[in-house]
């Protein structure tokens, strides 16, 4: 399987610890961009606009640790040029704010239904000593 050349990215860090993602541009302009670090999948999910997400996959452990600390991810999108000798043109430059995980991304405590509650109550009763007559 051939890798799509537009799926390539570069992450850069400056001396202040700010990180910029250099990616190839989409056909639409970003609107209120946010990002989310998906540690399980080892990727950044860059939400450029509603229903427009770019996945930056294959993050290394040291990159994940740095990205966890960020509140902003700077993004530079360049226009893809098939001619390797041509100069790349910058399409969009913006800062994406960190998005907090939604409820389904957070670990949920085990559900306690009525059966579980009844079972625990029964166990409590059975552990108590019998009343003395």
């Amino acid at each position: 399987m051939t890798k799509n050349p537009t799926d390539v990215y570069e992450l850069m860090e400056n001396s202040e610890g700010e990180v910029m993602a250099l990616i190839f541009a989409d056909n639409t302009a970003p609107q209120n961009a946010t990002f989310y670090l998906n540690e399980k999948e080892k990727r950044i999910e860059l939400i450029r606009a509603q229903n427009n997400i770019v996945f930056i996959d294959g993050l290394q452990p040291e990159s994940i640790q740095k990205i966890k600390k960020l509140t902003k991810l700077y993004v530079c999108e360049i226009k893809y040029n098939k001619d390797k000798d041509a100069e790349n043109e910058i399409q969009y430059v913006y800062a994406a704010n960190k998005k907090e995980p939604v409820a389904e991304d957070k670990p949920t405590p085990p559900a306690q239904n009525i059966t579980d509650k009844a079972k625990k109550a029964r166990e409590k009763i059975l552990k108590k000593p019998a009343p003395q007559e």
Side-chain angles (χ1 to χ4, degrees), residues 1-10 24 55-60 80 84:
M1 187 165 91
T2 312
K3 188 171 183 173
N4 184 343
T6 61
D7 288 343
V8 176
Y9 70 89
E10 185 76 33
F24 286 106
F55 296 111
I56 300 174
D57 289 312
L59 298 177
Q60 298 300 309
Y80 180 71
K84 291 181 181 183

Side-chain angles (χ1 to χ4, degrees), residues 35-45 55-57 59 64 67 105:
F35 79 97
Y36 167 68
L37 175 62
N38 186 329
E39 289 185 71
K40 182 179 176 187
E41 299 293 327
K42 298 180 183 174
R43 70 178 175 203
I44 296 170
E45 297 176 8
F55 296 111
I56 300 174
D57 289 312
L59 298 177
I64 291 171
I67 294 165
D105 295 335

